[in-house]
C-alpha cells in the first residue's frame, strides 16, 4: 500500500556531496527541499574518503586543474566557473573549517577529518539562518519510477521500512552517485531506470582502480592478443609481497596518440595485481587500452633517480661469490619487493645478463589483464551523457529533471578533483532548478 508524502518544491535524491550541495543552494534561496537517500545517514562515501585525511580540492593553477578531466574537460571547466577550488576552500571556511595546502598541492582541513565538516554542513542545512531548511528522508530507496503530470509536478515512489511512499515536487535533482562502493549506496541501479525513461547513459566503468596483472609466464594466444593464461602473480610472490608498496618508482604508459605518459610516485602490490595512487593516475588509459585490445601494459622504473648507464655499470660490477640478491642490494640498494619483482618477471637468462637486467630495472614491462571490479574502484566513469543535458544539467527530454555528481559522464584522478567537480555540479544544478522554477512560475 502506498502513502503520499507532502509536496516538496524540489526533491533531491542522493545525500552525497553533490546532492547536499544542490540542497544547500536551493534552501539558501528559500526553496523547500526534500532530500531522500537509501542509507540511514548521509555522506557515507564522503566519510569513507576522508578516513585517511579528507582531500577537498587541489591548489594547482586553474589552467592545469581543468586538464585533469580528460575528454570532459570543456563541460567540467564550465561547472568550475561557478564553484572552483578557491570556492571550495571558502565554503569550508564558512562552515568553520580551516584548510591548508599540503606539500603535494592537495588541500585538506587542518584537522584532516571529514566528520566535523559534515556535522557543521548538516547543522546548517537543517537549521539555516533563514529559509525553511532541508527536510531529510533517510532509508528511502527510489524505485526508478518517474511520472510528470500535466501540471508539471513530478511523482516519485520510494521503498521505506514502513512501506512504499510517493513524493511529489515541481522539480527533481538526481545525485545518485556512480557504480563503486555499492554498500555505501552507490550501486548504479539507476542506469537501467533512466535508460528506460529515454535518458542517454554511457556504461559505468571502474575509475581510479586497481588491475590484475598477466601472469609472468603467460603467453598471448595464437588467435588473438588476448591473454591466454589466468591473471595474477605467482603464488610465491603473492604470498610474500601482497600488500607491500613499491616506493620511489616511476611508470610510463604509451598513449593512443603515440606519446608517453610518465609519472613518479608509489603503488601497492595486491594478491593478483597492482593498485594505489600511481596506478590510479593512469587507470583510465590502461582500462581503455584493455577494452580495445584485451590487455594493456606499463613500464616500471624501479630506480627513477638513477640513469640506465649507472645501473648497468653497477650490475656489471664483479660480484664474486655473492648471490645476485646480495649484489643488487649492495650495489643499487635494490631489495625487498623491488628485487623480488625482478625474480618474478625475468627468467634465469635475463637475470644473468647485465644489459638485460639493467634494462629491466629501468623499464620493466608489466602487463595487465583486467581492471578490478567496479565496486572496488574509488570512483566510476560513464553515466548520464552531457549531450542529454542542457548547461544547467537539466535533462532535455524531461524538463524539471536535473542530474549532478558522479552519475554524470566524467572521470578524474584522485587529488581533490573528484570532490570539487561533484560540489560544482551540485551548485550548477541548484541554480538551474531556480531558473526553471522561476520560468515556470
Amino acid at each position: 500500500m502506498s502513502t503520499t508524502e507532502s509536496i516538496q518544491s524540489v526533491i533531491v535524491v542522493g545525500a552525497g556531496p553533490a546532492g547536499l550541495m544542490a540542497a544547500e543552494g536551493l534552501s539558501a534561496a528559500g526553496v523547500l527541499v526534500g532530500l531522500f537517500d537509501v542509507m540511514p545517514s548521509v555522506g557515507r562515501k564522503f566519510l569513507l574518503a576522508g578516513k585517511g585525511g579528507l582531500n577537498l580540492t587541489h591548489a594547482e593553477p586553474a589552467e592545469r586543474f581543468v586538464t585533469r578531466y580528460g575528454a570532459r574537460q570543456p563541460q567540467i571547466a564550465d561547472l568550475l566557473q561557478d564553484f572552483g577550488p578557491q570556492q571550495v576552500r571558502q565554503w569550508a571556511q564558512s562552515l568553520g573549517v580551516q584548510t591548508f595546502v599540503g606539500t603535494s598541492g592537495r588541500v585538506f582541513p587542518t584537522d584532516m577529518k571529514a566528520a566535523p565538516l559534515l556535522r557543521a554542513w548538516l547543522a546548517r542545512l537543517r537549521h539555516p539562518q533563514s529559509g525553511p531548511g532541508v527536510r531529510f528522508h533517510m532509508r528511502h530507496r527510489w524505485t526508478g519510477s518517474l511520472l510528470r503530470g500535466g501540471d508539471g509536478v513530478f511523482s516519485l515512489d520510494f521503498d521505506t521500512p514502513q512501506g512504499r511512499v510517493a513524493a511529489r515536487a515541481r522539480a527533481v535533482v538526481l545525485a545518485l552517485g556512480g557504480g563503486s562502493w555499492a554498500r555505501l549506496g552507490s550501486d548504479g541501479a539507476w542506469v537501467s531506470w533512466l535508460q528506460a525513461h529515454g535518458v542517454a547513459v554511457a556504461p559505468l566503468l571502474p575509475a581510479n582502480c586497481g588491475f590484475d596483472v598477466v601472469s609472468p609466464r603467460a603467453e598471448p594466444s595464437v588467435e588473438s592478443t588476448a591473454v591466454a593464461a589466468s591473471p595474477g602473480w605467482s603464488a610465491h610472490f603473492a604470498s610474500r609481497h601482497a600488500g607491500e608498496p613499491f616506493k620511489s618508482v616511476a611508470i610510463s604508459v604509451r598513449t593512443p596518440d603515440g606519446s608517453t605518459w610518465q609519472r613518479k610516485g608509489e603503488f601497492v602490490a595486491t594478491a593478483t595485481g597492482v593498485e594505489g595512487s600511481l596506478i590510479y593516475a593512469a587507470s583510465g588509459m590502461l582500462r581503455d587500452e584493455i577494452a580495445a585490445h584485451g590487455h594493456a601494459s606499463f613500464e616500471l622504473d624501479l630506480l627513477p633517480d638513477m640513469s640506465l648507464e649507472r645501473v648497468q655499470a653497477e650490475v656489471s660490477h664483479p660480484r664474486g661469490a655473492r648471490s645476485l640478491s646480495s649484489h643488487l642490494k649492495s650495489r643499487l640498494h635494490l631489495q625487498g619487493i623491488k628485487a623480488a619483482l625482478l625474480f618474478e618477471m625475468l627468467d634465469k637468462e635475463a637475470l644473468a645478463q647485465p644489459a638485460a637486467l639493467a634494462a629491466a630495472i629501468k623499464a620493466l614491462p608489466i602487463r595487465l589483464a583486467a581492471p578490478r571490479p567496479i565496486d572496488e574502484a574509488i570512483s566510476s566513469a560513464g553515466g548520464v551523457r552531457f549531450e542529454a543535458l542542457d548547461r544547467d544539467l537539466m535533462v532535455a527530454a524531461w524538463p524539471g529533471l536535473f542530474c549532478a555528481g558522479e552519475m554524470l559522464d566524467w572521470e578524474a584522478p584522485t587529488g581533490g578533483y573528484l570532490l570539487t567537480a561533484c560540489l560544482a555540479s551540485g551548485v550548477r544544478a541548484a541554480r538551474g532548478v531556480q531558473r526553471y522554477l522561476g520560468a515556470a512560475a
Side-chain angles (χ1 to χ4, degrees):
M1 190 75 178
S2 175
T3 59
T4 302
E5 298 201 356
S6 59
I7 295 178
Q8 324 281 322
S9 292
V10 179
I11 287 173
V12 176
V13 187
L20 291 171
M21 186 58 79
E24 179 173 31
L26 290 163
S27 177
V31 177
L32 179 62
V33 179
L35 183 59
F36 295 75
D37 195 274
V38 65
M39 303 303 289
S41 59
V42 306
R44 290 293 185 95
K45 193 172 180 182
F46 179 78
L47 290 172
L48 180 67
K51 194 171 183 180
L54 179 63
N55 186 189
L56 286 169
T57 189
H58 203 287
E60 67 187 359
E63 59 272 15
R64 182 167 176 78
F65 191 98
V66 297
T67 65
R68 306 300 190 177
Y69 298 95
R72 289 305 190 182
Q73 178 180 333
Q75 290 85 0
I76 302 301
D78 182 52
L79 298 179
L80 295 176
Q81 291 180 8
D82 288 353
F83 199 81
Q86 188 57 40
Q87 286 78 20
V88 172
R89 300 188 71 181
Q90 292 168 353
W91 164 77
Q93 186 174 13
S94 75
L95 292 169
V97 175
Q98 302 300 317
T99 59
F100 73 97
V101 181
T103 55
S104 65
R106 299 184 179 199
V107 176
F108 301 90
T110 52
D111 64 2
M112 298 292 288
K113 298 177 181 178
L117 187 150
L118 184 60
R119 284 196 298 267
W121 196 4
L122 294 178
R124 186 160 75 185
L125 289 171
R126 290 190 171 105
H127 308 290
Q129 292 183 349
S130 62
V134 176
R135 297 179 180 178
F136 288 83
H137 304 269
M138 309 311 295
R139 294 188 174 91
H140 280 60
R141 180 184 293 276
W142 181 43
T143 66
S145 66
L146 185 64
L147 298 174
R148 187 170 182 267
D151 58 358
V153 175
F154 286 89
S155 178
L156 284 72
D157 288 341
F158 295 88
D159 285 331
T160 78
Q162 290 73 41
R164 177 80 49 99
V165 300
R168 304 178 71 223
R170 296 169 59 202
V172 174
V173 178
L174 299 179
L176 294 164
S180 63
W181 293 90
R183 64 184 178 85
L184 302 179
S186 299
D187 59 9
W190 56 266
V191 171
S192 60
W193 300 340
L194 289 190
Q195 288 175 329
H197 291 300
V199 181
V201 181
L204 297 182
L205 301 169
N208 293 297
C209 59
F211 293 85
D212 291 332
V213 299
V214 176
S215 170
R217 303 297 173 247
E219 296 292 341
S221 67
V222 175
E223 294 80 10
S224 70
T225 57
V227 175
S230 299
W233 305 115
S234 68
H236 177 86
F237 183 88
S239 65
R240 287 162 175 77
H241 300 289
E244 289 188 23
F246 288 94
K247 294 187 175 183
S248 299
V249 296
I251 67 172
S252 301
V253 178
R254 181 71 66 179
T255 63
D257 64 6
S259 60
T260 300
W261 179 95
Q262 295 177 309
R263 186 164 299 179
K264 183 179 176 180
E266 61 182 70
F267 65 92
V268 176
T270 67
T272 61
V274 291
E275 66 179 18
S277 59
L278 197 53
I279 300 301
Y280 299 156
S283 61
M285 293 181 287
L286 297 169
R287 178 200 66 220
D288 292 347
E289 181 72 9
I290 292 171
H293 303 291
H295 64 87
S297 65
F298 63 85
E299 289 187 343
L300 174 61
D301 187 344
L302 295 169
L303 297 173
D305 297 323
M306 191 175 294
S307 69
L308 173 61
E309 291 74 19
R310 168 76 184 282
V311 171
Q312 185 164 341
E314 295 296 342
V315 298
S316 299
H317 193 276
R319 61 185 173 99
R322 287 185 304 180
S323 68
L324 179 57
S325 295
S326 298
H327 186 59
L328 293 175
K329 180 178 179 180
S330 172
R331 304 301 303 186
L332 294 171
H333 304 290
L334 199 62
Q335 56 187 317
I337 191 171
K338 289 185 177 182
L341 184 64
L342 292 173
F343 287 96
E344 170 81 354
M345 302 299 294
L346 302 181
D347 58 27
K348 291 182 178 180
E349 183 178 354
L351 290 169
Q353 297 178 5
L357 178 57
I361 291 171
K362 292 296 294 177
L364 183 63
I366 305 295
R367 296 181 70 205
L368 306 176
R372 294 296 299 165
I374 190 170
D375 197 44
E376 297 179 13
I378 290 178
S379 59
S380 58
V384 177
R385 297 184 185 274
F386 280 92
E387 292 77 12
L389 308 170
D390 68 10
R391 188 170 181 265
D392 283 334
L393 302 182
M394 184 170 72
V395 179
W398 285 83
L401 176 66
F402 297 77
C403 298
E406 198 179 330
M407 69 181 295
L408 301 177
D409 180 21
W410 62 283
E411 65 179 308
T414 57
Y417 309 104
L418 290 163
L419 181 56
T420 299
C422 282
L423 295 172
S425 70
V427 170
R428 175 64 61 84
R431 294 177 181 176
V433 170
Q434 291 175 60
R435 281 188 279 268
Y436 169 77
L437 294 178

